Amino acid sequence: MKFLGIRNQHDTNITYTDGTKVKYLKLERNLQDKHYSCVNYDKIIAQEFDIIFRKSKEILGVDFRSLDGIALSVVYPEERFKFQPFVHVNELYQELDKRRYVFWDQFKCPVYNLDHHYAHALSCWPMVDVGNTNSIVTDGMGSHKRFFSAFVDGDLKDYIDITECDSFSLLMNVLGNKLGMQGIIIDHAGKLMALKAFHQMNEKFIEEVFEYSKYMKFRNMHSFLELVEALQERKGQNPNDRQSIIDLTYLVHEFASRKFPDYISQFIKDDETFTYTGGTAQNTVLNTVLKKRYKNMIIPPHCPDDGISLGCVEFLRRLYKQPEFETKNFPFWQSDEAPRLPTDSVIDKAAELLAQNKIVGWYQGNGELGPRALGNRSILMNPTIKNGKDIMNSKVKHREEYRPFGASILSENVNDVFDWNEESPYMLYNAECRYPDDYSSIVHVDGSCRIQTVNHNHEYFYRLIDAFKTKTGIPAVLNTSLNINGKPIAGHMKDAKTLYENTEIDALVIGDKILVK
């Protein structure tokens, strides 16, 4: 059977399945428009979905006459779209009545709308049997203004919505606005995750804050924020000062780190395998705290809304009782332009350039699912270069100076460099570096680093890092995404070449070809 899954709001993505074969498309990569959204509140739904279907046919080869099912997950403000489908509070999905929603009448197959968090939970199917795995989902806001959902035995066991308290992610947006952050608002939370390390509070004040808040629960996050602001004022601070906001950002992270694991324990046993997804699951600070308690927690690389269309097709597969989809080459599933495979000599030459402290762009295979570069669309550098972070920023990335860079390290050597004994293939956890002075380019001011462990399954990236290790004794590389600030990751070879030509990248490796300045 042929299914189409659609996410049409920010980070628009489409998944098409034909039998067990899967094709995935995130439009920002093809259109080079970061967080691309098909939503335009001034247009009718037919115009809004037109580009999705045109690109589906053009890139994924979808024949709409032969589809057996369409599923989407749409969250619109009700007051703006009286005609738009909404999943009822106690339903996880509903079939659209085509007599009411005329746009969908052109399709012969049934069309379903899914609860946003339900789609998130189902999106984990490439990694686990979602039919037998419980799931925790948390984000800024999903269907019915929910920001937290616990799915147990396939049912929505509990949820929290923003009418009860603000979500962690929305609070980050508030704090980002107070700091006057520029750029796309949904990127603020990630930036604040880095900025919080620059707090200037003493331990006495931190202890005082958590003594006052010891009876507060995870559901009291907004009350906690108000408490901190009151305590800051009592100390003579202005809560709207930049440093006070940075201090508050640290404390909100700390509050969530202390309260969230216990809240989850109502639904999940400490040794239980479960999935954790949603936009907030990108926060490596919270993830690392959770992982220390819940060793069998699984977070997909597409945990933000990048995974919604994957959840939609899994819903259809389960509904129609079809065979499981193939997972070969996961997570390198972007339907973008893939070059020829690199030769041994190309890999060795790239490793030699890194050993010479050159900045190397690395474009291989198909792009990664999710927002993080995992070794197919990366910019790489020797992680031991002094002031390497500043060099990368000034020459290529042009990001805020306080934001750190991640590292990719051979799995067998991770504990040699970091205080970490787990796999971290999708760069979703932080680890303390054992030698922060030696690895200053990838170590944040708090001594941590966002790490990706690389094993033999990621063949060509593994071979590159291993060759670099042979030449230098260093089993890791600085790894940042193949883009510049404000742009999406390269989806075509021409995007990578444009980046190479317009920045001070020293070399670019595309498949079996190397460009060197």
Side-chain angles (χ1 to χ4, degrees):
M1 299 184 77
K2 298 179 179 180
F3 301 136
L4 189 70
I6 300 171
R7 157 69 180 178
N8 70 304
Q9 294 166 277
H10 71 77
D11 296 292
T12 293
N13 55 88
I14 311 154
T15 301
Y16 171 60
T17 62
D18 185 351
T20 61
K21 298 186 182 301
V22 179
K23 291 183 179 181
Y24 173 92
L25 173 65
K26 187 178 181 184
L27 282 177
E28 73 160 25
R29 303 284 181 94
N30 298 77
L31 302 178
Q32 283 298 288
D33 184 354
K34 192 173 184 182
H35 297 303
Y36 177 80
S37 171
C38 284
V39 170
N40 185 324
Y41 291 123
D42 296 323
K43 293 182 179 180
I44 61 173
I45 193 170
Q47 293 172 304
E48 187 174 307
F49 275 87
D50 180 61
I51 190 169
I52 290 178
F53 291 113
R54 281 193 288 107
K55 291 296 181 182
S56 297
K57 185 175 182 179
E58 171 189 336
I59 299 171
L60 302 182
V62 177
D63 180 358
F64 295 110
R65 295 167 298 180
S66 65
L67 287 173
D68 297 293
I70 298 173
L72 54 151
S73 182
V74 178
V75 182
Y76 279 134
E78 189 169 1
E79 65 275 10
R80 300 293 295 274
F81 282 87
K82 299 295 184 183
F83 57 86
Q84 181 58 42
F86 290 95
V87 179
H88 299 306
V89 172
N90 295 322
E91 291 180 332
L92 296 181
Y93 68 92
Q94 66 178 25
E95 183 177 355
L96 303 192
D97 182 349
K98 294 181 183 178
R99 293 171 299 180
R100 182 180 178 190
Y101 309 117
V102 179
F103 171 78
W104 299 107
D105 194 41
Q106 63 184 297
F107 302 101
K108 297 179 180 179
C109 64
V111 181
Y112 297 88
N113 189 36
L114 271 63
D115 174 89
H116 186 73
H117 284 185
Y118 185 47
H120 267 305
L122 292 176
S123 76
C124 299
W125 62 263
M127 306 174 68
V128 69
D129 178 2
V130 294
N132 295 304
T133 309
N134 295 333
S135 184
I136 299 295
V137 181
T138 181
D139 57 10
M141 183 180 66
S143 303
H144 304 291
K145 302 181 180 178
R146 290 196 288 264
F147 71 85
F148 171 88
S149 294
F151 294 92
V152 178
D153 297 329
D155 295 323
L156 180 62
K157 184 73 173 179
D158 191 29
Y159 62 85
I160 311 174
D161 64 51
I162 63 170
T163 63
E164 181 177 346
C165 68
D166 287 335
S167 67
F168 175 85
S169 294
L170 289 183
L171 281 181
M172 291 300 104
N173 290 344
V174 170
L175 295 175
N177 285 334
K178 290 180 72 173
L179 285 169
M181 282 187 167
Q182 302 299 308
I184 303 169
I185 192 169
I186 59 176
D187 289 336
H188 289 179
K191 296 177 181 180
L192 286 167
M193 182 171 60
L195 194 58
K196 76 171 187 63
F198 293 87
H199 78 86
Q200 294 181 1
M201 294 170 292
N202 57 46
E203 287 299 321
K204 182 178 179 181
F205 181 70
I206 295 173
E207 290 175 8
E208 181 183 6
V209 168
F210 285 100
E211 177 61 28
Y212 275 108
S213 63
K214 62 183 178 182
Y215 296 115
M216 289 184 177
K217 306 295 184 183
F218 179 66
R219 290 175 178 260
N220 304 130
M221 195 170 295
H222 191 81
S223 298
F224 175 78
L225 184 146
E226 293 175 339
L227 167 66
V228 174
E229 289 180 332
L231 291 174
Q232 287 176 328
E233 287 183 330
R234 195 178 76 177
K235 282 185 60 181
Q237 291 180 255
N238 179 351
N240 294 314
D241 286 344
R242 179 177 175 81
Q243 189 58 54
S244 294
I245 299 170
I246 294 172
D247 293 348
L248 178 56
T249 299
Y250 168 83
L251 290 168
V252 171
H253 272 83
E254 185 67 16
F255 179 83
S257 296
R258 296 186 186 199
K259 306 294 183 177
F260 192 38
D262 286 338
Y263 190 80
I264 290 177
S265 69
Q266 299 175 77
F267 319 103
I268 304 294
K269 298 180 179 67
D270 285 7
D271 61 350
E272 181 179 343
T273 297
F274 72 101
T275 62
Y276 173 50
T277 187
T280 306
Q282 284 189 94
N283 190 296
T284 57
V285 174
L286 296 183
N287 293 352
T288 304
V289 172
L290 290 170
K291 191 67 171 179
K292 289 177 180 178
R293 177 166 175 176
Y294 299 102
K295 296 296 185 182
N296 296 316
M297 176 178 70
I298 296 172
I299 308 176
H302 52 269
C303 54
D305 287 351
D306 304 52
I308 292 297
S309 66
L310 290 167
C312 288
V313 294
E314 173 64 9
F315 162 78
L316 292 169
R317 185 196 71 79
R318 289 160 58 85
L319 182 71
Y320 288 94
K321 297 180 173 60
Q322 294 300 295
E324 294 182 356
F325 299 128
E326 296 178 9
T327 59
K328 185 180 179 181
N329 296 327
F330 176 83
F332 303 103
W333 281 4
Q334 295 284 352
S335 291
D336 55 10
E337 188 177 17
R340 289 186 293 186
L341 299 176
T343 62
D344 291 344
S345 61
V346 164
I347 291 172
D348 186 74
K349 175 62 175 176
E352 181 61 34
L353 290 166
L354 289 170
Q356 294 171 8
N357 295 342
K358 303 296 185 181
I359 300 175
V360 177
W362 182 254
Y363 185 110
Q364 302 295 339
N366 289 103
E368 306 88 336
L369 293 180
R372 299 221 165 109
L374 302 176
N376 274 19
R377 298 287 185 274
S378 294
I379 303 173
L380 309 171
M381 190 170 71
N382 183 338
T384 66
I385 299 174
K386 299 298 180 184
N387 301 318
K389 181 173 80 78
D390 296 332
I391 293 170
M392 179 67 80
N393 247 343
S394 63
K395 287 191 172 186
V396 184
K397 297 294 284 191
H398 307 299
R399 305 193 314 185
E400 295 84 352
E401 73 284 350
Y402 58 81
R403 294 171 64 189
F405 291 105
S408 298
I409 184 166
L410 301 178
S411 291
E412 61 266 31
N413 295 119
V414 63
N415 195 246
D416 298 333
V417 180
F418 298 101
D419 183 16
W420 187 259
N421 293 302
E422 310 285 341
E423 289 293 322
S424 178
Y426 308 128
M427 205 177 275
L428 289 166
Y429 301 103
N430 292 336
E432 296 296 316
C433 184
R434 300 187 187 280
Y435 311 104
D437 292 338
D438 295 336
Y439 287 86
S440 58
S441 293
I442 56 172
V443 176
H444 199 29
V445 294
D446 60 2
S448 71
C449 176
R450 187 176 73 241
I451 62 169
Q452 176 197 13
T453 55
V454 181
N455 61 32
H456 289 277
N457 293 329
H458 198 347
E459 181 181 357
Y460 296 99
F461 195 40
Y462 180 93
R463 287 167 56 190
L464 174 66
I465 301 173
D466 191 49
F468 176 68
K469 176 188 173 184
T470 298
K471 296 175 185 294
T472 64
I474 302 165
V477 292
L478 181 155
N479 178 9
T480 186
S481 52
L482 190 60
N483 67 338
I484 58 172
N485 191 28
K487 296 289 288 184
I489 294 173
H492 296 85
M493 297 184 212
K494 66 179 182 181
D495 303 326
K497 290 177 181 177
T498 298
L499 182 65
Y500 171 71
E501 293 165 356
N502 294 326
T503 67
E504 294 181 61
I505 286 179
D506 299 303
L508 174 64
V509 184
I510 299 181
D512 61 351
K513 305 294 183 183
I514 299 182
L515 301 174
V516 181
K517 290 177 179 173

